[in-house]
Amino acid sequence: MAEERKSTSSTGPVPLQRGKACLRCRKRKMRCDGSKPACSQCVRAKKGDGCEYDDGKGKTRTQLMREHIARLEMRVKELENPEQSAPSMTLFDPHAISSYYSESSSSSSYDSPGKLSFSASASASPTPFEQDPHRSMHSPLSLDSSEIDPRTWNHLNFSDLASVTGLASFSGIDAPPLDHILLEIFIPHRHQCGLDTHVGRLRDSLSLPPAEQRHPVLMNAIFLWACYISRPGSLSQYEQLYLSRTTAALGDALQSTSKAVDIIQACCLLSVYYLSNGRLLEGSHYSAAASTLAIQCRLHQIGSQDTSMALDSWDASFDLPPPKDNIERGERISTFWQVYNLDRCWSVVLRRPATLPDSDHPWASITTPWPQRSEDYENGELDLGGGSPTIRAFFVQQAQSTSLSGFSTVALRVKASALFEGANRLSSSWSPRSLTSGAFSENFTAFEHSIIRFTTTLLPLHQVGGAIPDDKYALIVIHSLAHASMIGLHAPFMRDDGVSREKSLRAARSIIHVTKLITDADFEFLDPVIGSCWASAGKVLEGELTRLQTSWPDPLNTMEVRGDLEALLYVMTKFGARFPLVAYHSAKVQSCLDGE
């Protein structure tokens, strides 16, 4: 009998080696048997055709995509100077099988941080920071997302490009037909600037009749971002063109609520574009516009009971038409939380009150359910919401939350934004008179516990590196925001209170620990708001360095803190090559290390 049990156990399923599961099972965190050409999970879900494996052989999709865009940029230069160059290559053969669509990938290693000299880098568009024309940067094109559709590239008509006699003739007035190319550049980066939309429908929109397409204000904002992240490549020359097209299209878009979601998404993209470039006033303007429109269209109360009976015809004109299906409803939910993340996080950076209200007033209460993945909406796994407060319930009932959608990565990002803004708002409300009332102390302690409880619900850092790329980028930002929330909460007390100083220092070093997960390739996909988290950690470490130098001016005494600042400077300098606002903060860290 024992022998039978032994033989039975020996013939059981062998655990699959880490990293050998198919991409779909890894993304959905399901057990995969590794069968090829399609695993049993994909076969049961009737997704056998989409079962793909990442075997780590050959060139990565990022490398192949970069080579492809390099060829496109060479072709653009030929078209700009037809008298100086003869056609040197064929851009695309739709009938040839190319290794461009290889499924392999690899990861880059994290370089050891050291003390770096800093030169503030900037971009082609006007920013308040010094420009560095010699800055080099890898092309941001990446196919490390499984959502890139090779068929889109197969159907591109490059003959239109060949018919252009010279791109210089556009002179900021027009641009060659690059819509499909720019869209494919943008799609892997959409979460970086906060946009969560159904990729398939976004692609299909380009082929629909004009009246059914996404509004030009959104598409031009997307193309603007594609040019922005293409710096310093040839496509970046059209950045100013698409910026002017986006702002010009806003006037037309505001005439009707039928495309309100597109307008709100476009305002968010414009805001992050301006903010990350250091153009803070313009960024604040478009952030406030997105918040106002979201409230006006009642995106903050999706799922609440119908209130149209209490509205007259004038008020009802702001109501959106009913969503056609779960995907459209889900996009409206995601759009509201896109606005929320933008408003809550960047209001801290801008040192102003948040624009979106959230109170117990019927008009101001946020009751929209937590955001979910686009795949969940497509599969019908939709949280309809019950009309109860979402964020306020999170703070009050955090430990007793039963909503599964509240633990998705996108929902955790929203919670991190709420904590980040709430901690800074609470700490900034302190004054010496607060000591006479116990209310501030109670709120302070309760909020600190909320941050700690939230942090314990996150995926441990040692597991974040194994997550799918989009989740990894999001979790890096979420962990950083959580620790930055603790710093913001204790900021007014660090100088005079040893406990607050120690907790802030521990949080700052936790942020540095998170940065160790970032590979060189990851910098291309991180949300620029993470720069504010690094800046807050830098201020804590700068204060600690000053304190140590004053109390005991011994180089050995400050070695650890200087090492932390150098590690922070490394990531800020790398990221600052893409986002000038981060470059500004990294220059301050460099000045501190230089003793200036």
Side-chain angles (χ1 to χ4, degrees), residues 326-527:
N326 285 339
I327 294 177
E328 186 171 330
R329 181 184 180 90
E331 182 153 346
R332 292 182 183 182
I333 293 172
S334 298
T335 298
F336 172 73
W337 292 117
Q338 176 187 7
V339 176
Y340 184 91
N341 286 332
L342 173 66
D343 177 59
R344 288 305 192 260
C345 289
W346 286 98
S347 65
V348 174
V349 179
L350 295 166
R351 301 183 65 81
R352 65 163 174 78
T355 305
L356 282 174
D358 188 17
S359 67
D360 56 2
H361 190 282
W363 289 358
S365 179
I366 294 176
T367 60
T368 297
W370 296 112
Q372 299 169 249
R373 295 178 180 274
S374 297
E375 297 89 340
D376 294 335
Y377 296 130
E378 187 173 11
N379 296 332
E381 302 168 9
L382 182 67
D383 183 356
L384 298 176
S388 59
T390 307
I391 296 295
R392 286 183 291 127
F394 160 64
F395 285 116
V396 175
Q397 306 167 355
Q398 187 178 152
Q400 293 82 31
S401 177
T402 58
S403 173
L404 293 179
S405 64
F407 293 96
S408 65
T409 305
V410 283
L412 292 174
R413 174 67 170 82
V414 171
K415 294 177 180 179
S417 299
L419 290 169
F420 184 59
E421 187 273 336
N424 284 273
R425 174 161 42 89
L426 178 60
S427 65
S428 63
S429 69
W430 180 85
S431 68
R433 286 180 294 179
S434 303
L435 297 174
T436 61
S437 171
F440 179 86
S441 179
E442 292 177 4
N443 291 336
F444 184 94
T445 302
F447 208 98
E448 185 177 46
H449 289 164
S450 293
I451 296 172
I452 295 171
R453 283 198 305 269
F454 173 74
T455 306
T456 60
T457 66
L458 300 179
L459 189 70
L461 282 182
H462 69 273
Q463 297 180 23
V464 170
I468 61 174
D470 281 344
D471 281 352
K472 178 186 176 183
Y473 309 142
L475 287 167
I476 287 172
V477 174
I478 292 167
H479 274 277
S480 300
L481 284 171
H483 296 306
S485 300
M486 187 66 75
I487 293 174
L489 188 65
H490 287 274
F493 318 107
M494 285 189 295
R495 183 174 180 178
D496 301 319
D497 184 82
V499 174
S500 287
R501 182 171 61 250
E502 182 61 31
K503 289 182 178 181
S504 298
L505 193 59
R506 192 183 310 139
R509 285 176 169 149
S510 295
I511 289 176
I512 294 173
H513 190 55
V514 174
T515 65
K516 301 298 177 65
L517 299 171
I518 304 173
T519 67
D520 286 346
D522 295 338
F523 285 105
E524 297 177 0
F525 300 96
L526 292 177
D527 187 328

Side-chain angles (χ1 to χ4, degrees), residues 15 23 28 80 101 108 139 155 158 179 202 253 281 324 332 348 355 364 402 419 469 472 529 536 550 575 595-596:
L23 297 179
R28 301 183 70 83
E80 288 176 332
Y101 303 117
S108 55
S139 168
H155 290 92
F158 289 105
D179 292 5
L202 188 62
L281 187 60
K324 298 175 183 176
R332 292 182 183 182
V348 174
T355 305
T402 58
L419 290 169
K472 178 186 176 183
V529 78
S536 66
T550 303
F575 203 48
E596 298 176 3

